[in-house]
Amino acid sequence: WVSLTATFSPLNGSTRNYLFIMLRIVTSLILSCIVLFAPGSSAFVAPAGVATQRAISVGGELGMGFLDGIFGGAKTADASHILLKGPNANKQCEKLKGDIYKKAIGRGDPSMGVEAEKLVSAFAAQAKRSSTCPSKNNGGSLGSFGPGEMVPEFDRVVFKEQVGVIHGPVETQFGSHLILITDRS
């Protein structure tokens, strides 16, 4: 506040007092918002039946829930997955990943990579055949979602790893996943 006093010293007393009061009010409001809407805070209580997970999603770049959208940290991603359960789920995931890439490359040269459309198509076909998740009816597509809407292990992959590559196996409380991130913004 000392440096602010020097800045406002040419102003008359009542104007200076008014500016100090306004500055303190604005600072208090900003700090209150950060505390109230911080991840894990129970200060925000939605009416019964109102879904709040997307509005106050946790885990964005700033880790401040819905305030990430205001300050530029919010992201959305589109991804598909294949969920397998059981003691050999990781091995099965590894085998499926290889099979999907082989099908997507077809008779092409593996050193030239794989076309995105063919990879998505091969992944969707395999999801319909193998996944234990209801999303298998949509080729494993989970649609668009934000940080905090999926389990943390899933979020870490979807929001930090390369787009257009099959990731996994990723172990969560639900089982082992193969994840194909199709878009992120």
Side-chain angles (χ1 to χ4, degrees):
W1 296 111
V2 174
S3 64
L4 289 175
T5 305
T7 305
F8 295 133
S9 60
L11 302 174
N12 69 36
S14 62
T15 304
R16 186 176 7 184
N17 288 341
Y18 173 77
L19 289 174
F20 275 121
I21 291 169
M22 292 307 296
L23 184 60
R24 285 185 177 183
I25 291 171
V26 169
T27 304
S28 293
L29 286 172
I30 291 171
L31 291 174
S32 295
C33 285
I34 291 171
V35 169
L36 283 174
F37 298 108
S41 170
S42 60
F44 178 79
V45 179
V50 176
T52 60
Q53 185 64 29
R54 188 173 186 95
I56 59 168
S57 64
V58 177
E61 286 183 14
L62 299 175
M64 292 174 17
F66 89 100
L67 291 177
D68 285 342
I70 297 170
F71 297 112
K75 294 180 182 179
T76 59
D78 291 338
S80 295
H81 80 130
I82 296 172
L83 173 63
L84 299 177
K85 298 177 181 181
N88 295 322
N90 281 347
K91 277 186 177 180
Q92 291 174 315
C93 279
E94 289 291 351
K95 182 183 178 321
L96 288 180
K97 187 192 307 189
D99 292 347
I100 294 167
Y101 274 114
K102 284 178 190 172
K103 183 174 181 182
I105 293 170
R107 295 183 181 197
D109 181 4
S111 66
M112 299 301 291
V114 61
E115 293 179 36
E117 301 83 26
K118 289 183 179 180
L119 183 60
V120 170
S121 176
F123 192 93
Q126 191 65 56
K128 286 180 181 181
R129 282 193 301 275
S130 305
S131 185
T132 60
C133 180
S135 68
K136 75 181 194 174
N137 297 329
N138 297 325
S141 176
L142 297 169
S144 185
F145 53 90
E149 291 184 52
M150 302 294 175
V151 293
E153 303 88 349
F154 203 93
D155 265 9
R156 270 192 289 282
V157 172
V158 172
F159 290 101
K160 295 193 186 300
E161 299 297 332
Q162 186 177 352
V163 174
V165 175
I166 300 173
H167 300 280
V170 176
E171 291 186 55
T172 71
Q173 66 197 39
F174 302 105
S176 295
H177 305 258
L178 289 179
I179 302 171
L180 176 61
I181 309 159
T182 54
D183 190 34
R184 183 171 52 225
S185 56

